[in-house]
């Protein structure tokens, strides 16, 4: 692990002079997490700026503490991507922010807006050269805590801010799939008030000995739910207005405590303003209710839910290791628990929808402490659309009467410090209702009637009965926040925020619960055996070898290995074998090549309220669905010894001799190691722990500058960069090795055409697999394709030099760009020293 200090920035900048894009900066310096089933990007303010803040010299243009997800409006790094490896991003933009209220109206002379109170409010951010900048540190990218085990990824740093608050950040993610432990990312932040304010970040201290009076922390997200990448790794197709929605799940869990799950999800219609109101009348009629089509143009049943929530705020600095769960709670300035516990879980956080108010610290602060304002005025209403309009009216900015005495003479509307003396005595306080959490208005809430198709349903299957949901058109923001807090000079506190993703509401409930459990358990998450180092390669029999090393056998309870495969063919019914509903349960497969019915039974049931048949087939990919194709207990490892282990370093080999293996087609594999330890985690008993798919197709599990599918991206490894393609987890396409002309001349090898005949809608005819392959080619081949009348249809040339690749594809289009018809075709392959003629058929 490498750390950079601000004093080394000049040298670092020179070293990265050619990497001018935000994508390159994020790879070199930011934290891109790809260990689990939720992929995400974090760019702290002291590392680099996203496109929203780049190139400005004005302090009022900076408002982010940490940029999250999309950095450059091109989605060149993951942005709340679930499940990891899928080509879809949920947000347009996200950020984590801190905003302070100071009693001095001239505290921030650079504040934007016309309101006379604006000078009380200021964002916290970092600029090079500001007072305290020398304390800035950050990791050189997210890294494995242990490269051998690949169990935990982490990213750390410290950023001073213009508010005089030093923010230490520590972000972590787990790779283990058991109990949804890889479905969340934990963001810990330690805040220390140095008292040295440099409000415009120009290097001159403007105030010394400054007390922090009313600090809020928030994360906000603009839902779009449908951004994808092209093969260049940049912004591709999107499905605007595919029903983006957000909300809050306050339904009681099995203990009677609120689930406390803010969520982003996709509704069933492009116009969510026509959703169900307080009377519960649905808009989407029976027979046309297509739910969870997160990317509308794909027509796939995704039903992805995601979100984030603050789960703790504690006194004192972040501990050197472990969580801060054992430290005293940091109370708000209104003498409340920071977030709420037990039956009050989530009470004191703010969750709501607001509009695009960036660069307005006053509105941001008011929205971030929205729970404390009068619910009847701005929160507990059924006719809301955006929160910024009511929050700009001082008449609405009175304290919530459930927590405060509204008759206190010292109250000044909009002044958060004036509310302090109006706090009711203990025993007279009720639930604050100034935000939207308990609004009770649901737009398109279809998480109902689960008992109808879920026998012996677990606690997370309970219907969504309490909270709210709301739709988006464009530029609305979903916000979760805590505070306000006070910090004396020299005082420290820390907060923990988790981001989570899953299939349906049930998936994010479990992920939210897993994150809370891991925090409460001091981040002591049980580890499976180390993830094997593996590689996928063709063999001389025209099959595929999956090879792996023996590092997992250092685990005390090691019990064996499993080999999994995902292929883009055949397509699968997204409502049955879709990668979303099975992502959490791959490790439950124990019998190789399970039937579809048995595999479907492992997944979370679909939403029972779907009443549309308008879903399309899903093409499997690196995110799945994965099938177990081999279960190799430790006692049988002798049968899988790799005879070439001394040369290639891989102790074991499994040959995939399935009928699905064919030249020219695409495959993803991963090897998992499992043990026989048992116990209980997140309330779930287990009898074995298993490593997950961080190593698919030999992947390192770290971010390698672009996506594994971005073959046209400048950072994608070249064809002959075998190690680079392995590290990124590139698709494995089975190809024949390069042959010599002599082998063809002697008859020892012949040029092959597959599939022959080619049949439309056959097993392999899906998406990118729509092609014919010529294999066993030497360098310098010219292949002429003719119809039976002798007319030249197309001419292919092969000049390959990679010894592992003697293949060329034909897309079945003529040289004039016309798709060819069914029929018999003749090919003439001319190579140095000889010619081979053959034929193939196309059946459309």
């Amino acid at each position: 692990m490498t750390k950079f200090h601000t004093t080394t920035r000049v040298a670092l900048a020179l070293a990265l002079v050619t990497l001018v894009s935000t994508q390159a900066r994020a790879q070199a310096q930011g934290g891109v997490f790809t260990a689990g089933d939720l992929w995400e990007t974090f760019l702290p303010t002291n590392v680099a700026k996203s496109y929203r803040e780049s190139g400005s010299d004005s302090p009022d243009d900076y408002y982010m503490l940490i940029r999250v997800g999309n950095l450059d409006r091109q989605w060149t790094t993951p942005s709340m991507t679930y499940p990891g490896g899928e080509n879809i991003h949920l947000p347009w933009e996200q950020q984590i922010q801190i905003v302070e209220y100071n009693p001095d109206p001239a505290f921030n002379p650079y504040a934007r807006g016309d309101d006379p109170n604006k000078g009380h409010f200021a964002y916290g951010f970092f600029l090079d050269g500001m007072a305290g900048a020398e304390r800035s540190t950050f990791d050189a990218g997210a890294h494995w805590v242990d490269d051998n085990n690949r169990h935990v990824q982490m990213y750390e740093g410290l950023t001073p801010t213009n508010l005089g608050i030093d923010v230490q950040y520590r972000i972590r993610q787990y790779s283990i799939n058991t109990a949804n432990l890889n479905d969340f990312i934990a963001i810990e932040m330690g805040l220390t008030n140095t008292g040295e304010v440099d409000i415009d970040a120009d290097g001159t201290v403007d105030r010394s000995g400054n007390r922090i009076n009313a600090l809020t922390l928030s994360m906000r997200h603009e839902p779009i739910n449908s951004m994808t990448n092209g093969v260049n790794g940049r912004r591709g197709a999107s499905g605007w207005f595919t029903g983006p929605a957000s909300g809050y799940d306050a339904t009681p869990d099995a203990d009677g405590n609120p689930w406390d799950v803010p969520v982003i999800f996709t509704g069933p219609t492009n116009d969510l303003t026509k959703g169900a109101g307080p009377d519960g009348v649905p808009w989407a009629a029976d027979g046309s209710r297509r739910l969870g089509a997160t990317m509308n143009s794909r027509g796939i049943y995704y039903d992805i839910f995601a979100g984030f929530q603050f789960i703790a705020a504690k006194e004192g600095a972040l501990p050197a290791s472990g969580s801060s769960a054992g430290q005293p709670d940091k109370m708000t300035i209104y003498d409340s628990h920071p977030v709420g516990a037990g039956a009050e879980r989530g009470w004191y956080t703010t969750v709501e929808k607001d509009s695009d108010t960036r660069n307005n610290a006053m509105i941001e602060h008011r929205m971030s402490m929205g729970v404390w304002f009068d619910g009847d005025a701005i929160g507990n209403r059924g006719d809301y659309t955006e929160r910024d309009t009511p929050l700009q009216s001082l008449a609405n900015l009175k304290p919530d009467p459930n927590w405060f005495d509204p008759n206190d003479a010292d109250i000044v509307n909009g002044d958060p410090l004036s509310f302090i003396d109006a706090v009711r005595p203990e025993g007279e306080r009720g639930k604050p209702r100034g935000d939207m959490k308990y609004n009770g208005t649901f737009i398109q809430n279809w998480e109902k009637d689960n008992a109808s198709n879920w026998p012996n349903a677990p606690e997370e299957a309970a219907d969504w009965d309490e909270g709210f949901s709301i739709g988006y058109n464009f530029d609305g923001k979903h916000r979760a926040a805590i505070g306000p807090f006070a910090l004396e000079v020299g005082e420290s506190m820390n907060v923990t925020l988790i981001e989570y993703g899953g299939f349906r509401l049930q998936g994010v409930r479990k992920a939210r619960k897993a994150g809370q459990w891991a925090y409460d358990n001091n981040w002591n998450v049980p580890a499976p055996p180390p993830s094997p180092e593996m590689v996928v390669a063709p063999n001389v029999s025209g099959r595929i070898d999956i090879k792996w090393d023996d590092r997992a056998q250092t685990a005390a309870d090691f019990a064996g290995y499993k080999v999994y495969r995902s292929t883009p063919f055949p397509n699968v019914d997204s409502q049955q074998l879709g990668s979303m509903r099975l992502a959490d349960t791959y490790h439950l497969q124990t019998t190789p090549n399970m039937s579809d019915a048995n595999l479907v039974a492992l997944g979370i049931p679909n939403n029972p309220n779907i009443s549309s048949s308008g879903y399309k087939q899903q093409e499997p990919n690196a995110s799945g669905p994965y099938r177990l194709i081999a279960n190799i207990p430790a006692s049988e490892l002798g049968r899988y010894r790799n005879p070439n282990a001394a040369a290639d370093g891989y102790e074991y080999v499994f040959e995939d001799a399935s009928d699905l293996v064919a030249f020219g087609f695409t495959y993803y594999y991963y090897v998992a190691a499992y043990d026989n330890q048992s116990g209980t985690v997140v309330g779930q008993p287990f009898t074995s722990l298993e490593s997950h798919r961080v190593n698919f197709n030999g992947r390192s599990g770290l971010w390698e500058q672009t996506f594994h599918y971005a073959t046209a991206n400048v950072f994608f490894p070249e064809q002959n960069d075998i190690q680079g393609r392995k590290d990124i987890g590139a698709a494995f396409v089975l190809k024949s090795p390069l042959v010599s002309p002599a082998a063809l001349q002697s008859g020892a090898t012949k040029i092959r055409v597959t599939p022959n005949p080619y049949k439309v809608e056959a097993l392999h005819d899906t998406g990118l697999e729509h092609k014919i392959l010529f294999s066993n080619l030497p360098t310098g081949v010219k292949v002429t394709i003719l119809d039976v009348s002798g007319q030249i249809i197309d001419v292919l040339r092969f000049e390959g030099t990679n010894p592992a690749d003697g293949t060329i594809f034909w897309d079945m289009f003529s040289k004039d760009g016309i798709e060819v018809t069914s029929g018999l075709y003749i090919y003439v392959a001319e190579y140095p020293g000889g010619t081979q003629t053959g034929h193939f058929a196309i059946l459309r």
Side-chain angles (χ1 to χ4, degrees), residues 58-79:
S58 178
D60 65 346
D61 282 339
Y62 297 97
Y63 58 97
M64 301 184 200
L65 182 69
I66 303 176
R67 175 72 178 201
V68 185
N70 173 28
L71 305 178
D72 51 12
R73 214 166 186 171
Q74 293 296 322
W75 286 265
T76 53
T77 58
S79 301

Side-chain angles (χ1 to χ4, degrees), residues 106-255:
F107 177 65
N108 181 14
Y110 306 96
R112 286 190 178 184
D114 299 324
D115 193 293
N117 294 298
K118 65 180 183 179
H120 291 285
F121 303 88
Y123 293 104
F125 60 86
F126 174 93
L127 288 179
D128 281 319
M130 65 177 288
E134 69 280 357
R135 296 191 297 275
S136 167
T137 65
F138 50 89
D139 283 349
H143 56 87
W144 291 111
V145 172
D146 185 330
D147 289 332
N148 185 69
N149 290 340
R150 292 193 282 192
H151 176 50
V152 187
Q153 273 182 11
M154 191 170 288
Y155 179 71
E156 297 181 85
L158 183 147
T159 179
T161 68
N162 60 317
L163 299 178
I165 301 173
D166 281 1
V167 181
Q168 177 189 359
Y169 46 87
R170 181 186 300 150
I171 308 172
R172 73 179 71 221
Q173 183 181 40
Y174 298 92
S175 63
I176 182 174
N177 201 34
T178 301
N180 300 83
L181 285 164
N182 66 357
D183 289 342
F184 73 88
I185 298 172
I187 304 101
E188 300 172 281
M189 292 175 283
L191 299 90
T192 299
N193 181 20
T194 69
E196 302 290 298
V197 176
D198 179 5
I199 198 67
D200 58 355
D202 67 350
T204 301
V205 173
D206 300 306
R207 295 169 183 253
S208 295
N210 182 71
R211 181 181 189 269
I212 296 299
N213 298 275
L215 185 74
T216 62
L217 300 93
S218 68
M219 181 169 173
R220 64 178 195 164
H221 167 118
E222 181 178 341
I224 178 175
N225 293 9
S226 58
M227 186 59 69
T228 66
N229 295 98
V231 294
N232 60 358
R234 299 172 67 81
R235 177 177 174 176
S238 60
W240 295 101
F241 311 119
T242 56
S246 73
Y248 179 76
D249 177 22
T251 307
D253 63 13
D255 297 323

Side-chain angles (χ1 to χ4, degrees), residues 467-546:
F468 81 93
S469 66
I470 189 170
Y472 289 75
N473 286 317
F474 193 71
D475 284 340
K477 299 292 192 296
H478 170 76
R479 179 187 301 268
I482 54 169
F485 300 104
L487 287 172
E488 304 297 335
V489 177
E491 184 182 358
S492 297
M493 65 174 289
N494 65 85
V495 300
T496 301
L497 164 71
I498 57 171
E499 179 182 320
Y500 39 81
F503 174 68
R504 298 187 59 197
L505 179 63
Q506 293 71 32
V508 291
R509 281 175 172 173
K510 292 192 291 183
R512 161 71 172 87
K513 182 178 181 180
Q516 185 77 59
W517 178 90
Y519 171 80
D520 292 341
N521 206 44
N522 203 33
W523 303 130
N524 290 320
V525 171
S531 177
E533 179 72 18
M534 60 162 288
V535 70
V536 182
N539 64 28
V540 294
S541 301
R543 301 299 184 180
I544 299 174
D545 283 343
I546 301 94

Side-chain angles (χ1 to χ4, degrees), residues 10-19:
V10 173
L12 179 63
L14 291 174
L16 298 175
V17 67
T18 59
L19 303 180

Side-chain angles (χ1 to χ4, degrees), residues 231-233 709-716:
V231 294
N232 60 358
Y709 53 78
T711 53
N713 186 275
V714 66
F715 293 109
F716 197 83

Side-chain angles (χ1 to χ4, degrees), residues 83 88 127 132 208 315 345 392 406 409 416 449 576-577 582 630 643 686 709 748 778 785 789 838:
I88 195 167
L127 288 179
S208 295
E315 296 180 359
R345 183 189 294 154
Q392 291 186 64
D449 302 321
Q576 297 298 314
L577 291 172
L582 293 171
F686 65 89
Y709 53 78
I785 301 169
S789 69

